[in-house]
Amino acid sequence: MILSSFSYKTLGWELTEINALKLTTLLVGKNAAGKTRTIRALQNVTSYMRMESFLFQEGYFKAKMQFISPEDASWGLTYLYEIEKGEVKVEQLTVCGRTLVKRDAQKALLNGDVINPPKDKLVVQVRRDKEEYPDVEALMEWAEGVIAISCSDINPYTILNGRPGYINPVPFSELVGSLTKDDKKKVIGEAKRLGYDITDIALVNANSEIKLVAVKERNIQNGILDFQLSSGMIRVLYILCFLNNIKHGRAHSMLLIDDLGEGLDYSRAIHLGKKVFDVCEQENMQLIASSNDSFLMDVVDIAKWQIVRRKNSKLSVINHTNMPELFDEFRMTGLSNFDLFSSDFIDNFIARSAK
């Protein structure tokens, strides 16, 4: 199933709704518009569902998610829940118009029967049964398959000192260690096409507990350890290794990437961006990536864009579904994709439409 719509509210800000999400989506927007907030909201919501650590544990948030099936246009699932000070205040799961879970502060119903779940646990967490409640299991398997990568947080410092956590949960050394012989050849080949002339990538033991990655470059005698590499090279190798890892590791339902293309030049940004989008489409894994990199934006079809706009503490999006006339008119201009984002075209169109 594919996430088609998402809304989120917490103390201080609100994402009113991001809708018409596709198998692969690019979030674009000005600095501080809310791209990273949107990515982390999705990660926060799914981390809570997985009963893992998440941000703002003592605070308040509510989320609503809608899903569709690429194979069955008549199927739809809506799930919403609200958390306050660690307790579930509202929870509802509806599948094809039928309410399976309905819960408020006083009562919880599952398939019409009264149940008594713990106050700090979601019904979908405590009533998993693949045979009796297949839709609950499908939702939870989706949440378990969501993973987030922040390109700006992949750098020499985090490689050396960082530990798996909220963002970038898979260590670089673990990704490299999971590569098959053929995978390693593919990573090296992709890296060469991106201008990194490496001949080998391998694990080395720093001590009994820490493993590092050594990268061998052509015409350089000794291998270079991962924390000695440039930020751009680490980011490229990390993502290339991850893309190969997902073909053999646990199933991932959705990949969230913040700042895709960050710190890369033209050819590397577009090659890596295309690779990420192509692999996700081939693997049927939903992708939501954020970027304001002009190189990447110019090669991703604007039909896949979600333009994030912020007014005070509220975020909203413009996309080809909720404002098709804007996108159709822009295509007629012959300008580059990036011009839609960087010019005053959107504001002028909205002003004209309001008259």
Side-chain angles (χ1 to χ4, degrees):
M1 62 188 190
I2 293 177
L3 180 69
S4 62
S5 175
F6 175 68
S7 60
Y8 183 85
K9 184 176 183 179
T10 188
L11 299 176
W13 77 279
E14 178 182 2
L15 173 64
T16 55
E17 185 184 32
I18 178 170
N19 57 23
L21 290 166
K22 302 180 184 299
L23 181 61
T24 54
T25 296
L26 184 67
L27 299 180
V28 304
K30 297 179 180 179
N31 289 337
K35 301 185 300 297
T36 296
R37 278 180 178 265
T38 301
I39 293 287
R40 298 208 173 190
L42 281 162
Q43 177 68 351
N44 205 42
V45 166
T46 51
S47 290
Y48 189 92
M49 293 172 67
R50 295 192 300 266
M51 293 187 285
E52 296 175 353
S53 62
F54 66 103
L55 299 181
F56 313 120
Q57 293 190 23
E58 300 303 320
Y60 163 87
F61 71 89
K62 67 177 181 179
K64 180 179 180 180
M65 294 161 280
Q66 293 179 292
F67 298 86
I68 59 173
S69 168
E71 294 82 24
D72 184 357
S74 65
W75 184 90
L77 183 151
T78 300
Y79 181 62
L80 62 91
Y81 71 95
E82 182 177 344
I83 305 298
E84 185 174 3
K85 295 183 179 179
E87 295 186 357
V88 182
K89 297 301 180 184
V90 175
E91 184 180 8
Q92 184 168 318
L93 173 62
T94 303
V95 184
C96 299
R98 179 178 65 89
T99 299
L100 182 60
V101 175
K102 188 173 184 180
R103 178 183 187 180
D104 56 29
Q106 285 74 44
K107 184 169 63 175
L109 299 175
L110 175 61
N111 230 2
D113 298 324
V114 177
I115 60 173
N116 189 29
K119 291 182 178 181
D120 62 342
K121 296 290 188 299
L122 297 166
V123 172
V124 297
Q125 292 170 336
V126 298
R127 290 301 180 101
R128 296 183 63 170
D129 188 310
K130 195 167 187 177
E131 296 297 325
E132 191 170 2
Y133 306 116
D135 295 310
V136 170
E137 187 64 19
L139 176 65
M140 291 303 294
E141 287 181 353
W142 172 84
E144 289 171 348
V146 177
I147 189 168
I149 294 174
S150 172
C151 290
S152 58
D153 288 331
I154 303 172
N155 55 60
Y157 179 79
T158 56
I159 289 293
L160 182 60
N161 298 292
R163 293 184 178 182
Y166 183 76
I167 298 291
N168 304 334
V170 185
F172 187 32
S173 58
E174 184 177 321
L175 289 177
V176 173
S178 71
L179 297 177
T180 65
K181 189 174 181 180
D182 287 340
D183 288 338
K184 188 179 290 189
K185 288 181 179 178
K186 291 176 182 177
V187 168
I188 291 173
E190 289 290 343
K192 287 182 177 179
R193 280 188 281 276
L194 280 157
Y196 299 111
D197 194 8
I198 67 175
T199 58
D200 193 24
I201 179 170
L203 290 179
V204 295
N205 293 319
N207 55 41
S208 59
E209 297 180 353
I210 299 175
K211 292 183 182 295
L212 298 176
V213 176
V215 176
K216 183 72 169 63
E217 290 188 279
R218 192 177 304 280
N219 300 323
I220 295 181
Q221 184 175 0
N222 298 318
I224 305 171
L225 295 177
D226 43 23
F227 64 86
Q228 298 171 318
L229 300 172
S230 69
S231 295
M233 190 172 184
I234 289 176
R235 290 166 186 165
V236 167
L237 292 176
Y238 185 98
I239 292 176
L240 291 179
C241 290
F242 178 84
L243 293 177
N244 278 276
N245 173 269
I246 62 175
K247 298 177 182 179
H248 310 296
R250 70 182 181 91
H252 292 297
S253 57
M254 184 163 68
L255 172 60
L256 305 168
I257 302 185
D258 194 25
D259 287 330
L260 181 59
E262 175 73 14
L264 300 180
D265 58 34
Y266 172 79
S267 62
R268 287 168 176 160
I270 62 172
H271 184 93
L272 184 65
K274 285 181 177 179
K275 181 71 176 178
V276 170
F277 273 73
D278 288 347
V279 169
C280 288
E281 289 173 357
Q282 292 163 8
E283 296 295 318
N284 201 34
M285 177 174 66
Q286 191 168 14
L287 168 70
I288 300 179
S290 75
S291 180
N292 57 7
D293 183 281
S294 62
F295 307 142
L296 179 60
M297 292 164 70
D298 276 341
V299 297
V300 175
D301 190 340
I302 57 175
K304 297 181 178 182
W305 283 21
Q306 296 275 351
I307 304 172
V308 183
R309 291 165 65 87
R310 173 184 169 190
K311 185 175 182 180
N312 299 322
S313 61
K314 286 192 175 183
L315 310 182
S316 61
V317 298
I318 294 174
N319 56 45
H320 192 271
T321 298
N322 63 24
M323 203 172 286
E325 297 86 359
L326 181 147
F327 286 79
D328 293 342
E329 184 176 313
F330 179 78
R331 288 186 188 277
M332 298 297 292
T333 66
L335 298 172
S336 69
N337 290 358
F338 183 70
D339 291 321
L340 175 59
F341 164 77
S342 61
S343 68
D344 56 2
F345 186 91
I346 295 176
D347 290 334
N348 288 339
F349 179 90
I350 293 174
R352 282 189 282 111
S353 300
K355 292 180 179 179

